Structure formats: C-alpha cells, structure tokens
Amino acid sequence: MADAMRAETVFIGEEKIQAYQAWPVDTAGPVPGVVVIHHLPGYDDATKEMVRKFAANGYAAICPNLFWREAPGASPDDASAFVRGQGGIADEQIITDVATAAAALRGLDNASGKVGVIGHCSGGRQALLVTTAVDLDAAVDCYGAFALEPPPTGFPLRVTSIQDRLADVRCPVLGLFGDDDKYPAPAEVARLAELMAEHGKPFEHHSYEGAGHGFFAVDRPSYRPLAAVDGWQRIFAFYAEHLGS
C-alpha cells in the first residue's frame, strides 16, 4: 500500500482533454497504470474516489472526462444530461480518449509500461470495447450494459452491439456482474462468456447473488457492500497478476 499520493486535474493529449489523475509518490520501482472510465452519470466525485483508491494501492490511475468536448466546465449532472440527450459518446471517440489516457500513464517518469482499464455501467461496455482496439494489459468490465444487446426502445443511449469486435480483444478481461441486473441480465452475461470462449479470449467472470446494477456505487441505493468488497478484492488480484503492483 502506498503511504502517500498526489491527485490533481490534468489535461492530456493534443486536445488537452480534462482528466483526473492520482499516483503514489516516493515508491520504489516502476508503477503500473489504470485508466478509469467513468459511468454515464459522468466525471463525478465517486469516480474520482475510485481513481484515488487505485493510487492508494500502488497504481497510477487516470479518468478522462469523456464529456469534456460536449460540456466543458459543466457539472457532472449537467454534462451527463446533455450527453444523454445526444445519445451518448461515439465508440470511436471513447477508443481515442482511452488510448490518450493510456499514453499519458505510460509517459509518467516511473511508469512500468503496463496499463489496465476499468469501467462501470456504460463504462463497463466501453472498457470491453477499447480492448478490441487499444494495446492494454488487462481490463475489468463492471456490469457493462448493452455490450451484446441494444438498449430498449426509448432508452437515452444510442449504442450498438460490440459482439462482432470480440474476436479482436487484446488482453485478459475480468467481468463482475449482479444476478439481479437487467442490463446486462444473467443470460447476456452467459452469452458473453460463451463468445469470449469461442474466440479463445481469457475471460474471468463472477456474478453476485442479491446484487443488481450499480452495486459498486457507494453513493447510491444500489450499493451492496459484500459484493463490492469481494469485487474490489478480485480486481486487485486480477491487476496484480496482469499488471503487477
């Protein structure tokens, strides 16, 4: 565990995208990185807390503000509402922003060069998506919605299935899901596992009884402490195996 960390807003890439970054200081040896993809509610305090949690556990972590172009300077709620009205952020833009964030982590003075990605809800789908196009070392999909099935009619997000991209997954994936979730429902999780196996892609997954969508979200009624605590233990064990710490 790191005794000290630094956390601050940074601006990355040629476009100077806003991002929140935290990393351990005074550590011996190289440090692996984690790109945190925020959920649809946006670049909020709960997501920044996750970034700091990774730093406290020995990782350099960064969360790019995916809504920065659409709503620069807006509050997370206002930015999210605007982006929902636009149907979400295009997949190719997500890929570009995560690649930019991964490059920023690899550019740190004490970087090990290994970088993982994690996302929750829409970010879970996006974490899986970016593994098909960005060179990463490990990915965590936390209840990623609409990876295989399109959203229901009237849902604010206009996203498509990434099933046809799964053959291009470039790194091991950990999936964490709730048995009571509808998006994705257990049947869709089972189908995802089948497809990953068909393509020969490493996919470790676990579903929690009594947990629905958003069980990691400490600031929401959906929070399930037992599932979240076990989930974090699995995340850090998975990253330790594939990224080091």
Side-chain angles (χ1 to χ4, degrees):
M1 299 286 284
D3 290 328
M5 74 175 76
R6 179 173 176 177
E8 63 185 5
T9 298
V10 295
F11 294 87
I12 59 175
E14 293 183 0
E15 291 186 84
K16 302 301 180 184
I17 303 165
Q18 184 188 50
Y20 186 74
Q21 183 170 285
W23 64 99
V25 297
D26 298 328
T27 57
V31 175
V34 176
V35 179
V36 179
I37 303 177
H38 63 70
H39 53 177
L40 188 59
Y43 176 80
D44 56 8
D45 288 343
T47 303
K48 292 178 180 180
E49 183 178 343
M50 289 185 183
V51 173
R52 293 191 295 271
K53 185 177 182 74
F54 282 112
N57 282 271
Y59 296 86
I62 189 168
C63 175
N65 183 352
L66 303 177
F67 304 161
W68 177 245
R69 295 176 191 82
E70 289 72 19
S75 70
D77 287 345
D78 289 345
S80 177
F82 182 81
V83 169
R84 282 174 183 267
Q86 302 297 308
I89 303 297
D91 283 349
E92 296 309 313
Q93 187 61 65
I94 299 295
I95 290 170
T96 297
D97 286 353
V98 171
T100 298
L105 290 172
R106 291 189 173 113
L108 294 175
D109 290 341
N110 60 342
S112 72
K114 289 186 175 292
V115 175
V117 65
I118 186 172
H120 299 71
C121 188
S122 60
R125 173 190 175 276
Q126 290 160 351
L128 185 59
L129 166 74
V130 299
T131 68
T132 69
V134 181
D135 288 327
L136 297 164
D137 299 287
V140 180
D141 168 6
C142 297
Y143 39 83
F146 314 123
L148 303 183
E149 300 294 333
T153 301
F155 198 84
L157 282 184
R158 295 191 294 272
V159 296
T160 58
S161 170
I162 60 173
Q163 178 172 327
D164 292 344
R165 296 184 184 239
L166 295 180
D168 297 324
V169 168
R170 302 182 185 185
C171 67
V173 179
L174 170 66
L176 299 172
F177 306 97
D179 283 346
D180 295 344
D181 203 343
K182 294 181 179 179
Y183 305 114
E188 185 173 352
V189 174
R191 179 58 180 155
L192 176 60
E194 290 175 0
L195 290 168
M196 293 287 276
E198 287 175 9
H199 292 303
K201 305 301 179 181
F203 182 55
E204 174 187 344
H205 63 99
H206 186 77
S207 293
Y208 293 95
E209 183 179 355
H213 202 73
F215 63 81
F216 275 104
V218 296
D219 57 343
R220 294 173 179 268
S222 58
Y223 181 53
R224 296 293 181 270
L226 293 180
V229 168
D230 185 80
W232 277 113
Q233 291 173 345
R234 291 175 186 270
I235 289 166
F236 285 119
F238 180 74
Y239 278 156
E241 177 182 358
H242 297 290
L243 304 181
S245 59

